Amino acid sequence: MRLPLLLAALSLFALSAAAQQRPKINRHTVYIDVDGRVLSKDDYKAKLRTGHFKVDNPQAEGKSFVSLSLRPADTPDAVRLKALTPQRAFTTAAPAFTATDLQGRQFTLEALRGKVVVLNFWFVNCPYCIEEMPNLKRVATSYQPQDDVVFLSFALDKPERLKKFLQQRGDFGFAVVPEAKGMAQQFAIAGYPTTIVLNKQGQYLYDQEFTDNTVRLEDAIRRGLRE
């Protein structure tokens, strides 16, 4: 399963199991527009990327999706209006943390005050994490000339495995903190990948599992910079 639209589909479910246990899209999956017309896979993905539509009525049999429909987004606002969990309710303070990445750089929430912080939680064997990395890198790269946005990821894997993975696939624009299971628990992460944006005061601003549709993510970053 290598289809980015699954990321949006699965974000509708309460995620407490590992990503690999979810139903999969295959070549037989049917994609349906808001008016009931059958769409091509590419047209379906293109509509999801606009942020104006959401996945509706996902039908699964066994381990595979039979069909995925579309419905208009709940609001025209490009940014999610509700956090995934009350523990990450917007405008509440994120937990303080101290973390060291693979390059030996140390990050603390206190030292990051005054910056917008984008946090990504992932692990090497998560196919959906890997699926979203090119889009995450595009976003991170677009902010490289400025230092008021920090991209930091917390990975569950050991340093050696992460270094091998990144050597083979290339980095995705985020500093990578290894063995971050405790950090994930601290942030109440239930599904992978999860991306969070903190504003300049260290408060939750954005909270979403899977970010193949980066319209909302980028809009949240811009809002954080304006505050």
Side-chain angles (χ1 to χ4, degrees):
M1 177 206 0
R2 299 285 181 182
L3 305 179
L5 65 92
L6 178 57
L7 308 184
L10 293 176
S11 66
L12 297 176
F13 298 111
L15 297 174
S16 58
Q20 297 97 317
Q21 297 175 346
R22 300 185 183 107
K24 299 180 180 181
I25 288 173
N26 60 33
R27 60 190 179 90
H28 300 296
T29 303
V30 177
Y31 311 99
I32 303 171
D33 205 348
V34 291
D35 58 2
R37 292 183 300 113
V38 174
L39 295 173
S40 69
K41 176 186 69 179
D42 289 341
D43 286 343
Y44 188 88
K45 290 192 294 183
K47 288 201 168 190
L48 283 178
R49 289 180 189 277
T50 66
H52 299 307
F53 299 91
K54 290 185 177 181
V55 175
D56 186 41
N57 194 29
Q59 298 295 312
E61 287 185 1
K63 297 181 179 180
S64 299
F65 281 111
V66 176
S67 65
L68 297 170
S69 301
L70 285 176
R71 66 178 174 86
D74 294 333
T75 76
D77 193 346
V79 178
R80 290 181 65 100
L81 301 179
K82 184 178 180 181
L84 293 173
T85 170
Q87 292 170 274
R88 299 196 294 269
F90 296 163
T91 74
T92 62
F97 63 82
T98 298
T100 302
D101 76 355
L102 291 174
Q103 281 70 50
R105 296 173 295 186
Q106 189 175 82
F107 298 85
T108 69
L109 182 58
E110 184 60 34
L112 294 172
R113 302 286 185 190
K115 301 178 185 292
V116 174
V117 182
V118 183
L119 302 175
N120 180 252
F121 294 82
W122 67 288
F123 58 95
V124 167
N125 280 346
C126 167
Y128 315 117
C129 303
I130 297 171
E131 195 74 52
E132 73 173 0
M133 284 181 175
N135 279 336
L136 289 180
K137 183 168 185 176
R138 179 183 60 77
V139 174
T141 300
S142 69
Y143 285 95
Q144 280 182 351
Q146 55 196 88
D147 64 358
D148 49 0
V149 184
V150 175
F151 293 85
L152 179 61
S153 74
F154 295 114
L156 303 185
D157 310 275
K158 294 183 179 297
E160 299 76 15
R161 189 171 194 190
L162 287 167
K163 289 177 181 178
K164 182 177 180 180
F165 173 86
L166 295 171
Q167 286 173 353
Q168 293 174 341
R169 302 190 65 95
D171 74 274
F172 64 107
F174 283 62
V176 178
V177 175
E179 298 181 294
K181 181 178 180 180
M183 200 72 67
Q185 293 173 340
Q186 191 174 351
F187 277 82
I189 303 301
Y192 294 86
T194 292
T195 298
I196 291 167
V197 178
L198 306 180
N199 64 18
K200 295 178 183 180
Q201 292 74 47
Q203 300 169 330
Y204 291 110
L205 177 66
Y206 170 92
D207 177 30
Q208 186 167 336
E209 288 163 340
F210 316 118
T211 54
D212 185 59
N213 181 352
T214 54
V215 172
R216 293 169 177 163
L217 173 60
E218 293 178 276
D219 194 75
I221 294 172
R222 288 191 293 268
R223 287 202 302 130
L225 289 172
R226 291 195 300 266
E227 292 182 354

